[in-house]
Amino acid sequence: MTGRNETVVSEFLLLGLPIQSEHQHLFSALFLAMYVTTILGNLLIMVLICLDPHLHTPMYLLLSNLSFSDLCFSSVTVPKLLQDMQSHVPSIPYAACLTQMYFFLFFADLEDFLLAAMAYDRYVAICFPLHYTTIMSPKLCLFLVVLPWVLTTFTAMLEALLTARLRFCADNVIPHFFCDLSALLKLSCSDTRVNELVTVIVGGLVIVLPFLLIILSYARILSSILKVPSAKGICKAFSTCGSHLSVVSLFYGSIIGLYLCPSANNSAVKETVMSVMYTVVTPMLNPFIYSLRNRDMKGALGRVFCKKKISFSLKW
């Protein structure tokens, strides 16, 4: 069996973003700036939460994990994208492609579960404020952090192992800027029915289930507010949940636009643009949302920098 269709693929070619060649350097600089902003913004949030004792609470423990997830999620695809935008032949070895796919699925799934855990935290804070410290005990907080990491390790590994068993023949062109699972399944010359079934089941677990839990949490929050409606209660709820709702809207809005609103025209272009939204734009905006709309984060920023300024002055 030496025909062309039986040639085993050792690397894939990534078509990248639908950008004209004369604009490559401009967009490369733009994505580099966005990536640096993502790294610095999420690192700043993690450092502030670590250094400021006022932020050693369940909410900010979950937020620090979300920031780490955003940082890693963007790092899975953007450095390779930047490299390929400068390359005339943007290729990726087979093993590296599977590795990128695994970590992409891992951190995307992790974000889903962390957003659901944060929604539950907000539900307890608003609906049971007097029992918040009792309900959100250190043991439960540890559970809400560890469970997403365990679940996403399992689901991403399952998808990666099932993809690794597939055979890829002559066609090795991926119409994307990273190794997307659906694109790899379309390229395979093996039977992919098991992979597709597992993808549907896992997708229901890691996307639909957390989203439903978030909707349920906010439905209970809204119900609790409407029972005793007051301007003060509404403002408090908005200040408590506003940042989280903004992040959820950005993340799930992109996913819903990509998977639940299919378009016959320019589907490849639309898929690429929406993927940029939740892999590049959303991780960059999350730190701004939490720092600009969160009084505790702004207070922590002031306290940390004041301490640094005072210690620097004492040294001199």
Side-chain angles (χ1 to χ4, degrees):
M1 302 295 287
T2 59
R4 183 176 182 272
N5 290 336
E6 293 299 322
T7 303
V8 178
V9 168
S10 60
E11 66 177 13
F12 295 97
L13 298 179
L14 299 170
L15 289 187
L17 300 176
I19 300 172
Q20 295 179 357
S21 57
E22 59 267 25
H23 298 148
Q24 287 283 348
H25 292 294
L26 175 63
F27 277 91
S28 178
L30 175 62
F31 281 110
L32 177 60
M34 294 172 69
Y35 179 61
V36 171
T37 303
T38 301
I39 298 297
L40 295 179
N42 285 289
L43 277 176
L44 177 62
I45 285 184
M46 289 188 288
V47 169
L48 287 177
I49 293 173
C50 180
L51 295 180
D52 193 336
H54 295 86
L55 300 183
H56 294 174
T57 63
M59 173 184 174
Y60 292 106
L61 172 65
L62 294 170
L63 176 57
S64 63
N65 277 266
L66 182 67
S67 294
F68 179 75
S69 176
D70 280 335
L71 188 154
C72 295
F73 188 38
S74 186
S75 298
V76 169
T77 57
V78 179
K80 179 60 179 171
L81 171 62
L82 293 172
Q83 178 188 350
D84 290 345
M85 292 179 79
Q86 303 298 323
S87 173
H88 297 291
V89 184
S91 63
I92 182 170
Y94 173 81
C97 186
L98 289 185
T99 302
Q100 186 187 54
M101 186 201 73
Y102 167 78
F103 283 107
F104 177 86
L105 292 172
F106 178 87
F107 288 110
D109 296 350
L110 181 62
E111 185 123 347
D112 289 329
F113 285 113
L114 287 174
L115 288 174
M118 294 174 75
Y120 176 75
D121 174 78
R122 296 300 82 205
Y123 158 69
V124 175
I126 292 176
C127 297
F128 305 99
L130 299 178
H131 302 284
Y132 177 77
T133 54
T134 304
I135 297 174
M136 296 299 293
S137 62
K139 185 180 293 187
L140 180 60
C141 291
L142 182 63
F143 175 78
L144 290 176
V145 170
V146 172
L147 182 63
W149 285 88
V150 173
L151 287 177
T152 52
T153 298
F154 173 75
T155 56
M157 184 63 71
L158 178 62
E159 296 271 24
L161 290 176
L162 287 174
T163 305
R165 60 180 269 278
L166 298 178
R167 186 179 178 84
F168 296 92
C169 303
D171 190 2
N172 69 336
V173 178
I174 299 177
H176 222 307
F177 64 92
F178 66 93
C179 291
D180 182 53
L181 175 60
S182 60
L184 287 173
L185 293 182
K186 291 175 184 177
L187 290 180
S188 175
C189 51
S190 303
D191 185 355
T192 60
R193 286 177 294 181
V194 174
N195 297 69
E196 292 166 358
L197 177 62
V198 171
T199 299
V200 171
I201 295 173
V202 171
L205 173 64
V206 302
I207 297 177
V208 178
L209 180 59
F211 185 64
L212 291 177
L213 291 174
I214 292 171
I215 295 296
L216 178 61
S217 296
Y218 279 104
R220 297 294 298 272
I221 289 172
L222 183 62
S223 174
S224 176
I225 294 172
L226 293 178
K227 285 180 181 178
V228 189
S230 67
K232 184 178 179 180
I234 293 174
C235 289
K236 181 181 178 182
F238 181 76
S239 65
T240 304
C241 304
S243 299
H244 181 258
L245 271 175
S246 301
V247 172
V248 169
S249 300
L250 276 172
F251 186 77
Y252 279 100
S254 302
I255 292 177
I256 290 171
L258 179 59
Y259 295 108
L260 300 185
C261 301
S263 173
N265 299 323
N266 297 326
S267 58
V269 174
K270 176 186 174 181
E271 182 178 346
T272 303
V273 171
M274 297 304 291
S275 297
V276 168
M277 278 297 298
Y278 72 84
T279 59
V280 182
V281 178
T282 301
M284 180 192 69
L285 292 180
N286 286 356
F288 290 98
I289 292 171
Y290 274 102
S291 60
L292 294 178
R293 300 187 59 178
N294 189 297
R295 189 180 304 170
D296 294 336
M297 290 300 299
K298 288 188 283 188
L301 188 62
R303 286 189 295 269
V304 169
F305 275 95
C306 283
K307 286 181 180 178
K308 294 294 182 183
K309 188 182 293 186
I310 291 171
S311 63
F312 180 79
S313 300
L314 290 176
K315 287 180 180 178
W316 286 91

